[in-house]
Amino acid sequence: MSNVPAQREYFLDSIRAWLMLLGIPFHISLIYSSHIWHVNSAESSWWLTLFNDFIHAFRMQVFFVISGYFSYMLFLRYPLKKWWKVRVERVGIPMLTAIPLLTLPQFMMLQYVKGKTETWHTLSLYEKYNTLVWELTSHLWFLLVLTILTTAGLWLFSLLRRRQEQQQGVLLARLTLSKLTLIFFLLGIAYAALRRTLLIVYAPVLSDGLFNFVVMQTLFYIPFFILGALAFINPRLKELFTTPSPWCLAGAIVGFVAYLLNQRYGSGDAWMYETESVITMVFGLWMVNVVFSFGHRLLNFQSARVTYFVNASLFIYLVHHPLTLFFGAYITPQISSNTLGFFTGLVFVVGCALVLYEIHLRIPLLRFLFSGKPQTKQDKSAVTAR
């Protein structure tokens, strides 16, 4: 269809890849932060804690905006059923592949490292089920959420297209960053109110892994997913994000400070998580402008090296998590310096991930399982040409 842009959005491809790859320093820094994780260093590092908090506060919000943008672009390219099939295969097949090949071995390793293998039989049936949901979904949760959002997109995107046609291409023409800030602030309050209501009515549901991923995570990120689709529909809205805004930059700084203060002085027994949802909802919106504007200026070009990492980013993200946990469990205790350990971890995880990526490229079945894309003769010739 004519709505699909002729020129590839190189800067959005690059940003999406960088956000995916940021998962590596995020999880390695988590080892050395003051946050409790599967594996931690003997002492925490203040700067790695700060670094970890910064990445965590905005990364996935911006990622889901880009996902919504490209999802709607493909929505206009394919018939409805084929669009759903293509999108679900692209995210669902790698997720289902990673569970037995990556997160299950990762879970078994952690059970051994933590010495919990002897107590597994003491857990109730539900506790075993819930533990497996949390541990096997692990860092794959965003693929599950994308699958749900794609299914919801069958209705949402059809509605957006009808509205666009009815309004003769001026959907949300008067939308501004100020209005968006107010909207996302109210959405954050609504999400916080829902969480507090669930906590009062039936608190255990918030500890249920499946409910957390399918309901709570989906509800939090669906505004960003829709925002990405709207940015594709409305060029003016996209321009708002790709044009540097001093107010968004200043707001992002204030928002991150508020996030840190809530992390340091908030109480999980009080309103810490509700406050965090409001802060990260608005902070994430402002960071869309910051990331898009810098990315549009610095990353809007074609490069063979960038294309390589764009193509490799999902695979590297999938395999980095068990590699990181292996590093944290067996190598971190041997390195006394947190800073040295962090950079050693980056070299170890990225190096191993790249080797595994090159190996999987040469095995057609693995290429399909970790990409969800049917392998064509063109794909095989491209591998041969490397």
PDB file of all heavy atoms in Angstrom, residues 68-79:
ATOM      1  N   GLY A  68       5.710  -0.712  17.805  1.00  0.00           N
ATOM      2  CA  GLY A  68       4.408  -0.290  17.302  1.00  0.00           C
ATOM      3  C   GLY A  68       4.522   0.374  15.945  1.00  0.00           C
ATOM      4  O   GLY A  68       3.663   0.182  15.072  1.00  0.00           O
ATOM      5  N   TYR A  69       5.575   1.153  15.754  1.00  0.00           N
ATOM      6  CA  TYR A  69       5.798   1.845  14.484  1.00  0.00           C
ATOM      7  C   TYR A  69       5.975   0.836  13.345  1.00  0.00           C
ATOM      8  O   TYR A  69       5.286   0.898  12.316  1.00  0.00           O
ATOM      9  CB  TYR A  69       7.042   2.727  14.605  1.00  0.00           C
ATOM     10  CG  TYR A  69       7.334   3.570  13.382  1.00  0.00           C
ATOM     11  CD1 TYR A  69       6.894   4.883  13.308  1.00  0.00           C
ATOM     12  CD2 TYR A  69       8.061   3.054  12.312  1.00  0.00           C
ATOM     13  CE1 TYR A  69       7.168   5.668  12.185  1.00  0.00           C
ATOM     14  CE2 TYR A  69       8.335   3.824  11.198  1.00  0.00           C
ATOM     15  CZ  TYR A  69       7.888   5.135  11.141  1.00  0.00           C
ATOM     16  OH  TYR A  69       8.156   5.896  10.028  1.00  0.00           O
ATOM     17  N   PHE A  70       6.884  -0.122  13.521  1.00  0.00           N
ATOM     18  CA  PHE A  70       7.140  -1.097  12.469  1.00  0.00           C
ATOM     19  C   PHE A  70       5.977  -2.082  12.311  1.00  0.00           C
ATOM     20  O   PHE A  70       5.713  -2.572  11.212  1.00  0.00           O
ATOM     21  CB  PHE A  70       8.440  -1.851  12.740  1.00  0.00           C
ATOM     22  CG  PHE A  70       9.670  -1.052  12.437  1.00  0.00           C
ATOM     23  CD1 PHE A  70      10.645  -0.834  13.396  1.00  0.00           C
ATOM     24  CD2 PHE A  70       9.857  -0.508  11.178  1.00  0.00           C
ATOM     25  CE1 PHE A  70      11.788  -0.097  13.110  1.00  0.00           C
ATOM     26  CE2 PHE A  70      10.995   0.237  10.879  1.00  0.00           C
ATOM     27  CZ  PHE A  70      11.958   0.443  11.842  1.00  0.00           C
ATOM     28  N   SER A  71       5.285  -2.392  13.415  1.00  0.00           N
ATOM     29  CA  SER A  71       4.137  -3.292  13.324  1.00  0.00           C
ATOM     30  C   SER A  71       3.047  -2.684  12.456  1.00  0.00           C
ATOM     31  O   SER A  71       2.440  -3.369  11.623  1.00  0.00           O
ATOM     32  CB  SER A  71       3.590  -3.598  14.722  1.00  0.00           C
ATOM     33  OG  SER A  71       4.492  -4.371  15.468  1.00  0.00           O
ATOM     34  N   TYR A  72       2.794  -1.381  12.630  1.00  0.00           N
ATOM     35  CA  TYR A  72       1.756  -0.744  11.812  1.00  0.00           C
ATOM     36  C   TYR A  72       2.210  -0.619  10.357  1.00  0.00           C
ATOM     37  O   TYR A  72       1.403  -0.736   9.435  1.00  0.00           O
ATOM     38  CB  TYR A  72       1.396   0.636  12.366  1.00  0.00           C
ATOM     39  CG  TYR A  72       0.106   1.168  11.767  1.00  0.00           C
ATOM     40  CD1 TYR A  72      -1.122   0.815  12.314  1.00  0.00           C
ATOM     41  CD2 TYR A  72       0.121   2.000  10.646  1.00  0.00           C
ATOM     42  CE1 TYR A  72      -2.309   1.279  11.763  1.00  0.00           C
ATOM     43  CE2 TYR A  72      -1.059   2.459  10.084  1.00  0.00           C
ATOM     44  CZ  TYR A  72      -2.268   2.096  10.657  1.00  0.00           C
ATOM     45  OH  TYR A  72      -3.440   2.544  10.095  1.00  0.00           O
ATOM     46  N   MET A  73       3.475  -0.396  10.135  1.00  0.00           N
ATOM     47  CA  MET A  73       4.003  -0.334   8.776  1.00  0.00           C
ATOM     48  C   MET A  73       3.744  -1.655   8.056  1.00  0.00           C
ATOM     49  O   MET A  73       3.282  -1.676   6.900  1.00  0.00           O
ATOM     50  CB  MET A  73       5.503  -0.034   8.801  1.00  0.00           C
ATOM     51  CG  MET A  73       6.143   0.056   7.428  1.00  0.00           C
ATOM     52  SD  MET A  73       7.929   0.396   7.506  1.00  0.00           S
ATOM     53  CE  MET A  73       8.520  -1.183   8.121  1.00  0.00           C
ATOM     54  N   LEU A  74       4.010  -2.784   8.737  1.00  0.00           N
ATOM     55  CA  LEU A  74       3.759  -4.089   8.144  1.00  0.00           C
ATOM     56  C   LEU A  74       2.266  -4.378   8.047  1.00  0.00           C
ATOM     57  O   LEU A  74       1.821  -5.101   7.153  1.00  0.00           O
ATOM     58  CB  LEU A  74       4.452  -5.176   8.963  1.00  0.00           C
ATOM     59  CG  LEU A  74       5.980  -5.138   8.964  1.00  0.00           C
ATOM     60  CD1 LEU A  74       6.545  -6.194   9.896  1.00  0.00           C
ATOM     61  CD2 LEU A  74       6.523  -5.337   7.553  1.00  0.00           C
ATOM     62  N   PHE A  75       1.483  -3.817   8.958  1.00  0.00           N
ATOM     63  CA  PHE A  75       0.029  -3.976   8.933  1.00  0.00           C
ATOM     64  C   PHE A  75      -0.550  -3.435   7.620  1.00  0.00           C
ATOM     65  O   PHE A  75      -1.497  -3.996   7.071  1.00  0.00           O
ATOM     66  CB  PHE A  75      -0.580  -3.232  10.124  1.00  0.00           C
ATOM     67  CG  PHE A  75      -2.080  -3.209  10.146  1.00  0.00           C
ATOM     68  CD1 PHE A  75      -2.800  -4.309  10.569  1.00  0.00           C
ATOM     69  CD2 PHE A  75      -2.781  -2.067   9.766  1.00  0.00           C
ATOM     70  CE1 PHE A  75      -4.189  -4.287  10.596  1.00  0.00           C
ATOM     71  CE2 PHE A  75      -4.156  -2.033   9.786  1.00  0.00           C
ATOM     72  CZ  PHE A  75      -4.872  -3.150  10.199  1.00  0.00           C
ATOM     73  N   LEU A  76       0.026  -2.353   7.114  1.00  0.00           N
ATOM     74  CA  LEU A  76      -0.428  -1.780   5.855  1.00  0.00           C
ATOM     75  C   LEU A  76       0.104  -2.547   4.646  1.00  0.00           C
ATOM     76  O   LEU A  76      -0.434  -2.421   3.544  1.00  0.00           O
ATOM     77  CB  LEU A  76       0.003  -0.309   5.751  1.00  0.00           C
ATOM     78  CG  LEU A  76      -0.579   0.642   6.795  1.00  0.00           C
ATOM     79  CD1 LEU A  76      -0.057   2.047   6.568  1.00  0.00           C
ATOM     80  CD2 LEU A  76      -2.100   0.628   6.771  1.00  0.00           C
ATOM     81  N   ARG A  77       1.125  -3.337   4.859  1.00  0.00           N
ATOM     82  CA  ARG A  77       1.759  -4.040   3.748  1.00  0.00           C
ATOM     83  C   ARG A  77       1.084  -5.371   3.449  1.00  0.00           C
ATOM     84  O   ARG A  77       1.011  -5.804   2.300  1.00  0.00           O
ATOM     85  CB  ARG A  77       3.238  -4.258   4.052  1.00  0.00           C
ATOM     86  CG  ARG A  77       4.009  -4.999   2.976  1.00  0.00           C
ATOM     87  CD  ARG A  77       5.480  -5.142   3.373  1.00  0.00           C
ATOM     88  NE  ARG A  77       6.119  -3.845   3.557  1.00  0.00           N
ATOM     89  CZ  ARG A  77       7.352  -3.681   4.025  1.00  0.00           C
ATOM     90  NH1 ARG A  77       8.048  -4.746   4.389  1.00  0.00           N
ATOM     91  NH2 ARG A  77       7.862  -2.475   4.154  1.00  0.00           N
ATOM     92  N   TYR A  78       0.591  -6.063   4.494  1.00  0.00           N
ATOM     93  CA  TYR A  78       0.047  -7.401   4.329  1.00  0.00           C
ATOM     94  C   TYR A  78      -1.463  -7.424   4.561  1.00  0.00           C
ATOM     95  O   TYR A  78      -2.000  -6.562   5.274  1.00  0.00           O
ATOM     96  CB  TYR A  78       0.687  -8.369   5.338  1.00  0.00           C
ATOM     97  CG  TYR A  78       2.167  -8.573   5.173  1.00  0.00           C
ATOM     98  CD1 TYR A  78       3.051  -8.198   6.186  1.00  0.00           C
ATOM     99  CD2 TYR A  78       2.685  -9.181   4.033  1.00  0.00           C
ATOM    100  CE1 TYR A  78       4.420  -8.403   6.059  1.00  0.00           C
ATOM    101  CE2 TYR A  78       4.045  -9.396   3.898  1.00  0.00           C
ATOM    102  CZ  TYR A  78       4.906  -9.000   4.905  1.00  0.00           C
ATOM    103  OH  TYR A  78       6.250  -9.206   4.773  1.00  0.00           O
ATOM    104  N   PRO A  79      -2.144  -8.443   4.013  1.00  0.00           N
ATOM    105  CA  PRO A  79      -3.533  -8.699   4.420  1.00  0.00           C
ATOM    106  C   PRO A  79      -3.573  -9.016   5.912  1.00  0.00           C
ATOM    107  O   PRO A  79      -2.570  -9.466   6.488  1.00  0.00           O
ATOM    108  CB  PRO A  79      -3.940  -9.917   3.581  1.00  0.00           C
ATOM    109  CG  PRO A  79      -2.992  -9.925   2.428  1.00  0.00           C
ATOM    110  CD  PRO A  79      -1.706  -9.346   2.942  1.00  0.00           C
TER     111      PRO A  79
END
